[in-house]
């Protein structure tokens, strides 16, 4: 039962993450169309459903990715436990911190849509004033997650412990996210779907060996 749950996480996590990013696109489009220092607050007021629903799904995706990380560790097995421990620790820590970030953003969005502009600005300042928390959520969490995925991709490319396509898809997906996000609409969504193919390769190989 536990094994099948991890396989389900490997399949579902990337879909949920890409879906959450897709749901956020109306808010992002509103943000890009607005001007002024308070345009972020106004974009949330214009697209509250986009912000709320996307962060619910992204929070679920972060939880699923924790399960997917455990699935990768299980696939590597005791013979390659050192690599599994490093990859698993980085991914789990990164997505756990991202889960906190998404939950905080959800609360912030709920406050903004229920307060007037000055009160919303004050709420944002209160939430973002904790430097250590902001550093964890906005810098450390993505860095841990990205480091875990990079080591996973390189392990797949260099060894035969995981499907080599896992490495190709993960690196290719991040190339799309990082390289095209500023110019291509839905680049993050497309990139994370490609990354998802890498995790699906792990799931398919694990299911074949079950």
């Amino acid at each position: 039962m536990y094994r099948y749950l991890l396989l389900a996480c490997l399949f579902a996590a990337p879909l949920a993450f890409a879906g959450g990013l897709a749901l956020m696109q109306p808010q992002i489009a509103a943000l890009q169309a607005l001007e002024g220092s308070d345009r972020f607050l106004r974009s949330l007021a214009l697209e509250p459903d986009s912000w709320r629903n996307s962060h619910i799904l992204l929070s679920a995706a972060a939880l699923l990715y924790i399960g997917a990380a455990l699935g990768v560790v299980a696939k590597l097995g005791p013979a390659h436990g050192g690599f599994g421990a490093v990859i698993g620790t980085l991914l789990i820590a990164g997505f756990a911190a991202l889960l906190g970030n998404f939950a905080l953003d959800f609360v912030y969005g709920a406050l903004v849509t229920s307060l007037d502009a000055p009160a919303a600005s004050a709420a944002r300042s209160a939430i973002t004033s904790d430097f250590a928390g902001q550093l964890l959520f906005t810098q450390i969490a993505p860095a841990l997650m990205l480091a875990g995925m990079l080591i996973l991709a390189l392990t797949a490319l260099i060894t035969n412990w995981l499907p080599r396509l896992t490495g190709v898809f993960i690196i290719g997906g991040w190339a799309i996210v990082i390289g095209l996000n500023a110019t291509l609409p839905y680049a993050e969504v497309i990139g994370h779907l490609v990354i998802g193919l890498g995790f699906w390769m792990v799931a398919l190989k694990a299911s074949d060996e079950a």
Side-chain angles (χ1 to χ4, degrees):
M1 180 65 181
Y2 178 69
R3 181 185 183 90
Y4 291 111
L5 181 61
L6 297 184
L7 287 175
C9 288
L10 283 164
F11 280 112
L15 283 176
F17 205 92
L21 292 172
L23 288 175
M24 201 188 297
Q25 294 306 305
Q27 182 270 327
I28 293 174
L31 176 65
Q32 293 173 340
L34 295 170
E35 296 181 355
S37 59
D38 64 342
R39 66 192 187 107
F40 179 67
L41 293 174
R42 287 187 287 141
S43 73
L44 296 189
L46 287 171
E47 296 290 348
D49 291 341
S50 171
W51 185 262
R52 179 180 61 252
N53 295 336
S54 65
H55 281 75
I56 291 173
L57 191 51
L58 286 170
S59 297
L63 281 172
L64 289 168
Y65 257 121
I66 291 173
L70 294 173
V72 171
V73 173
K75 177 64 189 74
L76 286 170
H80 313 297
F83 279 89
V86 171
I87 293 169
T89 299
L90 289 171
L91 289 177
I92 290 170
F95 280 107
L98 283 176
L99 175 60
N101 186 29
F102 295 147
L104 188 63
D105 281 346
F106 177 82
V107 171
Y108 173 58
L111 288 174
V112 166
T113 55
S114 62
L115 300 174
D116 58 24
S121 296
R124 184 185 187 193
S125 297
I127 290 173
T128 59
S129 61
D130 183 352
F131 174 76
Q134 284 303 301
L135 182 64
L136 172 63
F137 291 145
T138 64
Q139 303 295 327
I140 297 176
L144 289 172
M145 181 262 292
L146 185 57
M149 287 203 183
L150 179 60
I151 295 173
L152 170 59
L154 292 176
T155 300
L157 289 172
I158 295 171
T159 72
N160 63 351
W161 305 338
L162 298 167
R164 284 198 166 84
L165 281 177
T166 292
V168 173
F169 285 132
I170 289 176
I171 291 176
W174 277 111
I176 294 172
V177 171
I178 296 171
L180 299 178
N181 189 42
T183 57
L184 178 67
Y186 288 86
E188 279 192 295
V189 178
I190 296 168
H192 278 280
L193 285 174
V194 174
I195 291 167
L197 292 174
F199 283 87
W200 296 345
M201 293 298 104
V202 176
L204 289 172
K205 186 171 183 178
S207 62
D208 288 342
E209 295 173 355

